[in-house]
Amino acid sequence: MGVTSGLVLYAVIWFMTFLIVIPIRIQTQGDRGEIVPGTHAGAPEQHYLKQKAVITTIAAAVIWGIIATIILGGWISVNDFDWLDRLPDPE
């Protein structure tokens, strides 16, 4: 895995993790009972976005480390997913 591949893998993992972390501990205007006129009751009142970005960065780094170790260790390769036998045999 090259540097670019590693960065792309980290970015994909980061965004997937961020989408999972976003709804955790969200407080909507409807939950707090203070709905601003012209907004939806489901609009976030407190979103803690900075804390969620930090948590996402740490979690994504751990997940990326595990996946990078598996890929670089050779435990799983592209040939393991070649179910139609189109790739040449590894030597």
Side-chain angles (χ1 to χ4, degrees):
M1 175 170 51
V3 176
T4 305
S5 301
L7 290 173
V8 169
L9 179 63
Y10 181 77
V12 169
I13 292 171
W14 192 92
F15 279 105
M16 288 178 63
T17 307
F18 191 59
L19 290 174
I20 292 170
V21 172
I22 283 177
I24 297 173
R25 251 185 75 194
I26 194 164
Q27 294 178 355
T28 64
Q29 293 179 12
D31 293 339
R32 299 192 75 181
E34 302 170 0
I35 301 172
V36 177
T39 62
H40 192 273
E45 180 69 30
Q46 295 290 328
H47 49 71
Y48 305 106
L49 201 55
K50 186 175 181 180
Q51 293 173 353
K52 290 178 183 183
V54 171
I55 291 168
T56 300
T57 302
I58 294 168
V62 170
I63 295 168
W64 180 84
I66 293 168
I67 293 174
T69 302
I70 290 170
I71 292 171
L72 293 174
W75 297 332
I76 296 176
S77 69
V78 175
N79 288 326
D80 293 332
F81 298 102
D82 183 25
W83 296 300
L84 300 176
D85 294 327
R86 293 184 179 178
L87 294 175
D89 291 331
E91 295 178 10

